[in-house]
Amino acid sequence: MLAILYPSIKLTEKAFRLFLSLVNSGPAQADTRNTRLTHRLANRSVMPAETEEIPEIDMSQQSEAVVAEQLVSALTTVGFCYAVGHGVPQETVASAFAESAGFFERPLSEKLRHRRDWRKSTCGYIPPHWASTGDPDEPPVERFSLDAPPDEKEVLDVCHTCDDTVWPSKSFRKASLDLISAAQDLTLRLVRLIGRGLGLSPPDQLADAFAGFATPGNTSELRMLHYPPLPPVTDGTVCGDRCGEHTDYGIITLVFCDSQPGLQVLSRSARYLDANPRPGRVLVNIGDLMQRWTGGRLHSARHRVLAPTDPKLRSQPRYSLVYFTQCDDEYIVRPLLGDPDSFPPVKTGEHMRRRFEETFLLGQGIDPQLPPL
């Protein structure tokens, strides 16, 4: 069947199964017990969603004015939306998923050949916390709070300017760069629509901050994530999340999920909303820099990947592909709306380096105590 639909792709049996899960799976519903869990690591009680939901926006069947209005509404109230009719080929997404799954199936010793030189680069492999050796040259564990356990994940970050040591293979590089190119096109389309929906004049001025999108001057990156299977729950509790609650650091994030549930968004009314994966959907959310850029108008929402309680889901891996977009490194972000003093100006590259520094210090068990930007 795959050869008939996409004759140019030659995939392994593992990749074929993953492809089918992307194309044929219906909306994956999280185990209802997940939404009833109190986030034991937060100092608040969070109730499950009832009437709130993440809105879906069809970018292909409506006028640009309508799409722009819907985008701004969703990203103001929830901070997230589903985009369909977005123009990213499903074939491109499936190929990147297949390459990602193949890489994470490799022995740890092979994956470590591509590990991130975290002092010099934002690209490379970050192993799961349990594989850490304590080597000072090894990338520290990512962590978002000293009160939370390390995430249950492993990561490969890539971008359009990675050196050859990062790429596991030529086919991996091609699949990644194809998805990065499509994600960049979608990002530029989204920021233009957002500018229009916000009433900026000219509406394209947000897109001007991405002039170096395909150059070393812009460090937007594609993150390939693998959440390994989890052991069975033996005492009725779930310890920690697959990915702890956090906000994203940059401008816009595009999330391509497999059929596994687990991603949850914290709404403004302190309810967790399930982000249910579905073939053809891209989950779009706002990062801290975009919130700053719009004077707080658009909302950078906290989110997490919950560890499931259902034994079947716990026994299965979870994969996602996430494209993190930021302005060119030298671009200075300052509020374009509201009080110009609501956020001090900040250079994009400096902001991103600081946020990564905080994350890795937390990963080493150190309270960053860094002054705010």
Side-chain angles (χ1 to χ4, degrees):
M1 183 182 75
L2 183 63
I4 295 174
L5 291 172
Y6 303 114
S8 62
I9 292 183
K10 299 185 185 298
L11 302 177
T12 63
E13 181 181 354
K14 169 72 177 180
F16 179 63
R17 290 198 305 270
L18 182 58
F19 178 87
L20 289 181
S21 75
L22 287 166
V23 175
N24 296 329
S25 61
Q29 300 297 323
D31 187 320
T32 55
R33 288 173 292 179
N34 290 354
T35 57
R36 290 197 295 268
L37 289 175
T38 300
H39 190 356
R40 71 180 186 87
L41 302 174
N43 295 321
R44 61 174 177 267
S45 177
V46 182
M47 299 299 291
E50 292 177 353
T51 57
E52 294 174 299
E53 61 181 6
I54 300 170
E56 181 176 284
I57 298 172
D58 190 336
M59 299 179 66
S60 65
Q61 299 298 320
Q62 306 173 90
S63 69
E64 281 200 353
V66 171
V67 173
E69 181 181 357
Q70 291 178 347
L71 271 174
V72 169
S73 175
L75 299 177
T76 299
T77 56
V78 181
F80 277 70
C81 68
Y82 303 111
V84 297
H86 44 70
V88 178
Q90 188 66 11
E91 178 182 5
T92 300
V93 177
S95 182
F97 263 114
E99 292 289 345
S100 172
F103 171 76
F104 288 120
E105 282 188 324
R106 295 184 181 190
L108 180 62
S109 59
E110 290 188 21
K111 290 183 285 192
L112 287 173
R113 296 173 189 167
H114 308 280
R115 70 181 181 181
R116 178 173 175 173
D117 185 349
W118 65 278
R119 295 184 180 90
K120 299 178 181 178
S121 174
T122 60
C123 292
Y125 174 67
I126 301 176
H129 68 89
W130 47 262
S132 177
T133 65
D135 184 337
D137 291 330
E138 185 176 273
V141 172
E142 288 188 324
R143 203 169 187 171
F144 300 107
S145 169
L146 290 178
D147 298 324
D151 293 346
E152 298 290 342
K153 69 185 183 189
E154 56 181 337
V155 169
L156 181 63
D157 291 321
V158 298
C159 72
H160 51 279
T161 58
C162 285
D163 62 50
D164 291 341
T165 62
V166 173
W167 299 111
S169 67
K170 290 182 179 179
S171 61
F172 189 105
R173 184 177 188 275
K174 182 182 185 307
S176 300
L177 293 180
D178 284 349
L179 182 56
I180 285 173
S181 177
Q184 288 177 342
D185 289 345
L186 176 56
T187 297
L188 290 174
R189 185 179 174 194
L190 287 167
V191 295
R192 290 188 176 102
L193 287 166
I194 289 169
R196 178 171 182 171
L198 291 172
L200 297 179
S201 181
D204 281 358
Q205 65 181 283
L206 295 180
D208 293 341
F210 300 88
F213 226 168
T215 75
N218 185 295
T219 51
S220 300
E221 65 184 13
L222 175 64
R223 166 160 284 200
M224 298 185 167
L225 284 149
H226 172 226
Y227 302 95
L230 297 167
V233 176
T234 57
D235 59 0
T237 62
V238 178
C239 295
D241 298 329
R242 277 178 156 167
C243 183
E245 185 184 287
H246 63 285
T247 59
D248 291 345
Y249 305 156
I251 297 292
I252 287 177
T253 304
L254 306 177
V255 185
F256 304 86
C257 293
D258 66 4
S259 60
Q260 286 275 6
L263 180 59
Q264 293 188 322
V265 178
L266 190 64
S267 74
R268 287 183 181 266
S269 61
R271 295 179 182 275
Y272 277 120
L273 311 178
D274 290 321
N276 294 317
R278 184 177 299 170
R281 271 181 170 176
V282 175
L283 190 64
V284 178
N285 69 281
I286 289 306
D288 298 338
L289 272 180
M290 178 64 97
Q291 179 171 286
R292 192 180 194 118
W293 211 5
T294 59
R297 172 78 179 274
L298 301 187
H299 176 50
S300 180
R302 301 188 70 82
H303 50 285
R304 67 181 184 182
V305 179
L306 192 68
T309 57
D310 180 87
K312 183 177 180 180
L313 292 178
R314 289 182 69 83
S315 68
Q316 299 172 355
R318 184 181 189 275
Y319 297 91
S320 64
L321 306 172
V322 185
Y323 190 65
F324 294 106
T325 302
Q326 50 257 15
C327 309
D328 298 342
D329 288 354
E330 296 299 312
Y331 186 86
I332 296 176
V333 172
R334 50 173 51 90
L336 297 177
L337 300 170
D339 181 359
D341 298 323
S342 56
F343 296 91
V346 63
K347 189 178 291 187
T348 298
E350 180 182 350
H351 168 85
M352 298 303 296
R353 283 189 293 273
R354 171 67 67 82
R355 294 305 304 272
F356 282 124
E357 181 183 2
E358 292 173 348
T359 302
F360 285 135
L361 285 172
L362 288 167
Q364 298 174 71
I366 301 171
D367 185 348
Q369 295 185 336
L370 300 174
L373 289 170

